[in-house]
Amino acid sequence: MRLRILAAVAALSVAAVSGCGAGSGSDGGGTGALRIMAPASPGGGWDQTSRTAEQALKSVDPKRKVEVFNVPGAGGTIGLAQLAGEKGNGNLLMTMGLVMVGAIEQNKSKVTLAQTTPIAKLTEEYEIIVVPAASPFKSVADLVAAWKADPKKVSISGGSAGGTDHIAAGLMAKAAGVDPKQVNYIAHSGGGEALNELLGNKVSAGISGVGEFAEHVKSGKLRALAVTSAQRLPDLDAPTLKEAGLNVELTNWRGFVAPAGLDEAAKKSLTDQVTKMHDSQAWKDAVAKNGWIDSFQTGQQFADYLNAEQTKVKAIIAELGVVS
């Protein structure tokens, strides 16, 4: 029921959202203020990536005007609908990733990534499964035992419905022999909301990107049960899910798309700016600090990757049944 309500709110919000306001229509790209949309609430991975990109872009060209703004809701599909209305705008980027690919399927969005211009894949990141410091769950085995006893009593807080965190929860449940449809998953439009629930001991566990929870694990406010990588991660005392007994590996990723209808000059300008950003020391330092994996791709390579991910995620969501 919660997911149905979210979908209904998303549909109403799309109609109410106004334009991006930076001036629709391409001016050749790169001559006006560059706006970066984070299609989620502040505090999550897309917001973090967008603001990191803003600073890195400014480090390359201090005179360049760059602005980040948030359009939260429905796994980024509200922001995606807004982006679709900016056809031809060569001064607009939207941060997106695997979460949005899943949310499009989850929300049965009428607007899809086919109505965008792929610009670049930026990073990959593993997921981390955490519990509040006071939780009785000391391991994944403890979590699984409670899941098997009564799935509905184990609340899992994470990002958008159908997104990476939700998929991770579903894959974990399936590997544990629990019906993924029975997972009590509480979806949020931003990582900050999920974090607040965890720190307030309002949920049993949480799933998010490593970069969003790592500092709270290191400070002792949260306990890491496992990570979704194939190997243990440096500077993080947590086993992999495979070590913990669940045969699950999952990698999140993030990138940039722009509105559809860009002329070649605008597309090249955006790609060149993002490439310079990626090559900057500021970006490299942020990637290392946040535990991200550099997976830079542009052009047709990223477009092909995006198509393959959409096919893969559609099949996973159908198999897990994590749809409203």
Side-chain angles (χ1 to χ4, degrees), residues 24 26 90 103 129 153 155 170 197 204 222 231 245-246 282 292-294 297 303 320:
S24 299
S26 172
I129 297 88
K153 286 187 177 180
S155 53
E197 285 192 335
S204 306
L222 298 176
Q231 305 292 332
L246 298 182
W292 297 339
I293 302 163
D294 186 358
Q297 295 178 347
L320 297 179

Side-chain angles (χ1 to χ4, degrees), residues 301-313:
Q301 185 181 22
F302 178 46
D304 291 343
Y305 177 84
L306 193 51
N307 286 332
E309 284 292 284
Q310 290 175 88
T311 300
K312 180 180 77 174
V313 170

Side-chain angles (χ1 to χ4, degrees), residues 35-293:
R35 306 192 80 210
I36 302 174
M37 181 199 301
S41 299
W46 286 339
D47 182 69
Q48 182 184 32
T49 300
S50 300
R51 296 184 190 281
T52 300
E54 175 189 14
Q55 295 306 312
L57 284 161
K58 288 178 177 177
S59 77
V60 173
D61 182 3
K63 295 181 181 180
R64 186 78 167 101
K65 294 181 179 179
V66 185
E67 175 194 356
V68 172
F69 65 104
N70 297 81
V71 182
T77 55
I78 290 178
L80 177 62
Q82 183 168 320
L83 188 83
E86 291 286 326
K87 188 173 182 180
N89 187 345
N91 289 309
L92 178 62
L93 289 169
M94 180 179 72
T95 305
M96 49 74 69
L98 181 58
V99 170
M100 184 173 289
V101 176
I104 288 169
E105 293 297 321
Q106 166 71 33
N107 295 319
K108 300 177 177 63
S109 175
K110 293 181 179 179
V111 181
T112 72
L113 291 168
Q115 293 158 267
T116 69
T117 300
I119 298 296
K121 180 185 176 190
L122 299 173
T123 60
E124 293 181 348
E125 183 180 27
Y126 297 116
E127 297 277 283
I128 185 170
I129 297 88
V130 302
V131 294
S135 171
F137 301 148
K138 307 296 184 184
S139 65
V140 170
D142 292 340
L143 177 65
V144 168
W147 241 351
K148 288 184 174 180
D150 190 343
K152 293 300 182 181
K153 286 187 177 180
V154 180
S155 53
I156 309 292
S157 184
S160 304
T164 316
D165 307 339
H166 197 176
I167 289 172
L171 291 173
M172 287 172 60
K174 183 182 178 184
V178 175
D179 182 357
K181 297 178 184 178
Q182 296 300 311
V183 173
N184 180 12
Y185 184 79
I186 301 172
H188 299 286
S189 62
E193 297 169 354
L195 178 61
N196 288 338
E197 285 192 335
L198 283 160
L199 296 177
N201 292 293
K202 296 178 181 178
V203 291
S204 306
I207 302 176
S208 190
V210 170
E212 294 179 54
F213 286 164
E215 66 177 276
H216 300 286
V217 171
K218 292 173 183 177
S219 71
K221 294 178 180 178
L222 298 176
R223 180 187 306 126
L225 297 188
V227 289
T228 64
S229 53
Q231 305 292 332
R232 286 196 178 213
L233 302 179
D235 302 322
L236 192 62
D237 184 19
T240 66
L241 279 173
K242 283 193 172 183
E243 283 183 84
L246 298 182
N247 188 21
V248 175
E249 286 182 28
L250 185 65
T251 305
N252 191 14
W253 60 267
R254 300 186 184 104
F256 281 142
V257 295
L262 298 187
D263 59 35
E264 286 304 312
K267 184 177 179 180
K268 183 178 186 301
S269 175
L270 284 174
T271 303
D272 288 349
Q273 289 177 73
V274 172
T275 299
K276 290 178 182 177
M277 177 208 79
H278 164 263
D279 294 340
S280 72
Q281 191 60 48
W283 181 258
K284 292 175 182 177
D285 290 346
V287 167
K289 177 183 177 182
N290 292 313
W292 297 339
I293 302 163

